[in-house]
Amino acid sequence: MALTPRLQVHVQGTAVAAAKLESICDTNFSRGTLKAALRAAGSVCHAVHAVAMGKYRNAFCVVRPPGHHAGTLVHKDDEVDIYDGEGWSGLLKDSISCGFCILNNVMIGAQYALDTCPHVKKVAIVDFDAHHGNGTQDILTQHPRPNVLFISLHVFAEGFYPGSGGDHDYARNIYNFPIHPMWTHAKDKGSAAFRAKVTQVVLPLLRAFGPDLILVSAGFDGCHHDIGNKQYGQRDGPVGMDLSPGDFHWVTTQLMLMANLCCNGRLVSVLEGGYGRVRTEHDDKDDTSPDGAVAASPDGSQPGTSPEDNHATTAPLILDTLQASAHAHLQALTCQSYVEPPPLKTRTSTRTPAPTFKAARAKRKKLA
């Protein structure tokens, strides 16, 4: 469980000086968080049981919070201390990961399958989230399971969360395949590198391992415009990967074909990352109300490009790319051909737009 600073101090009994720093901790814990996390993990177990018992051929668990950054607790007296400087200083003290994750849903599902399904002897986990599943690797490092295979495809670069996953751990069946971010001059990057690694290394590894169940950590933050695809702490700037919904449909189809070969199609996909894209000027022009006014943010300000005028840095995210990626994933799971969603219709109006926040403020000052 990825404990937050307050829980570390008041529940776990960690000294204040040894707890994670509140100012840079990226995972909050509110009154309903534990219930949501338990329901997310429980839904994965329910899906695993239904698929393993043959009720369904595959399943897609659309859950929040995600889980692949949630690892085990690290103590000084542990025989294996894997906190070796990888990751983000301050986020990982006493708890190996945060990243909005509370419980590691996929690892809970894997252990549930091994414990309760007699014919499931081996489980393979494939993680194609843009960020390394450091929590999943941590659990398998601290508690090795020779009957669990972990494969991760992720962006690996300085300044990209969580900063781990650069090497394999053959002894523990952990295979990391880092991909260069788009802002580098490397040749093997982006969609082409992603597809090449899936074809050349991921599928052969799965075939050789011969799992009885395949679990997928399905993160859609590798989509070209997703905010989770940026360098740590940035809303703008270059992306790490340029995947499209078609890429997610393709990789899901490949994993399903391998599941058909190895384990009678048994595959359970679990949602990890994927957050949406930042609002742009084009969205401001398209997203107009019937009377021509520009749609306002929840705080009542007018969206725009100037943080001082319109608080653009806190504007809500647009979810169309995330929805398209998840829909393509679902199309593949249901054996449908990929159909690109139609573009959103632009709503236009000939009426005079409402005055902007800055103009209205200037008018009030003039009247005063």
Side-chain angles (χ1 to χ4, degrees), residues 195 243-252 324-325 328 338:
R195 292 196 178 212
L243 301 184
S244 66
D247 289 315
F248 292 115
H249 184 278
W250 176 84
V251 69
T252 306
S325 300
Y338 173 62

Side-chain angles (χ1 to χ4, degrees), residues 107-124:
M107 277 306 304
I108 290 174
Q111 191 62 51
Y112 178 83
L114 294 170
D115 289 344
T116 64
C117 304
H119 56 283
V120 177
K121 305 298 182 183
K122 294 190 291 184
V123 176

Side-chain angles (χ1 to χ4, degrees), residues 160-178:
F160 198 87
Y161 187 92
S164 57
D167 300 311
H168 304 307
D169 188 343
Y170 300 110
R172 296 175 175 85
N173 282 342
I174 296 171
Y175 294 88
N176 292 310
F177 298 104

Side-chain angles (χ1 to χ4, degrees), residues 128-131 153-161 177-194 197 220-232 234-244 247-248:
F128 58 71
D129 190 279
H131 306 91
L153 290 157
H154 53 271
V155 175
F156 180 71
E158 183 178 355
F160 198 87
Y161 187 92
F177 298 104
I179 298 175
H180 295 291
M182 296 300 296
W183 61 77
T184 65
H185 298 290
K187 294 182 179 180
D188 54 335
K189 60 183 179 181
S191 174
F194 178 81
K197 290 182 184 296
F220 303 111
D221 44 8
C223 192
H224 182 66
H225 300 289
D226 197 276
I227 191 174
N229 202 6
K230 312 283 186 177
Q231 288 180 288
Y232 186 71
Q234 294 186 5
R235 290 176 67 95
D236 299 313
V239 296
M241 297 182 74
D242 63 344
L243 301 184
S244 66
D247 289 315
F248 292 115

Side-chain angles (χ1 to χ4, degrees), residues 34-242:
L34 182 58
K35 181 183 290 186
L38 290 172
R39 287 181 174 178
S43 68
V44 174
C45 293
H46 179 77
V48 165
H49 181 80
V51 170
M53 294 294 105
K55 185 176 181 180
Y56 302 109
R57 194 169 183 83
N58 56 56
F60 180 26
C61 302
V62 185
V63 297
R64 280 290 186 263
H68 71 152
H69 294 305
T72 61
L73 299 180
V74 178
H75 303 284
K76 293 181 180 179
D77 56 350
D78 283 348
E79 294 181 3
V80 181
D81 185 1
I82 65 170
Y83 183 67
D84 58 357
E86 287 191 342
W88 293 90
S89 176
L91 291 177
L92 309 182
K93 284 184 179 179
D94 288 342
S95 179
I96 198 60
S97 59
C98 285
F100 314 132
C101 300
I102 306 299
L103 303 175
N104 196 309
N105 304 316
V106 164
M107 277 306 304
I108 290 174
Q111 191 62 51
Y112 178 83
L114 294 170
D115 289 344
T116 64
C117 304
H119 56 283
V120 177
K121 305 298 182 183
K122 294 190 291 184
V123 176
I125 301 173
V126 179
D127 188 333
F128 58 71
D129 190 279
H131 306 91
H132 177 233
N134 57 329
T136 305
Q137 175 168 328
D138 169 39
I139 294 173
L140 292 174
T141 301
Q142 296 279 41
H143 309 284
R145 293 168 173 81
N147 53 353
V148 176
L149 169 70
F150 176 56
I151 303 173
S152 180
L153 290 157
H154 53 271
V155 175
F156 180 71
E158 183 178 355
F160 198 87
Y161 187 92
S164 57
D167 300 311
H168 304 307
D169 188 343
Y170 300 110
R172 296 175 175 85
N173 282 342
I174 296 171
Y175 294 88
N176 292 310
F177 298 104
I179 298 175
H180 295 291
M182 296 300 296
W183 61 77
T184 65
H185 298 290
K187 294 182 179 180
D188 54 335
K189 60 183 179 181
S191 174
F194 178 81
R195 292 196 178 212
K197 290 182 184 296
V198 170
T199 303
Q200 297 170 11
V201 291
V202 174
L203 298 182
L205 274 173
L206 287 173
R207 183 58 172 158
F209 184 71
D212 300 308
L213 173 69
I214 295 178
L215 299 179
V216 180
S217 281
F220 303 111
D221 44 8
C223 192
H224 182 66
H225 300 289
D226 197 276
I227 191 174
N229 202 6
K230 312 283 186 177
Q231 288 180 288
Y232 186 71
Q234 294 186 5
R235 290 176 67 95
D236 299 313
V239 296
M241 297 182 74
D242 63 344

Side-chain angles (χ1 to χ4, degrees), residues 267-278:
L267 183 148
V268 175
S269 177
V270 183
L271 179 63
E272 297 287 359
Y275 309 99
R277 61 182 178 85
V278 177

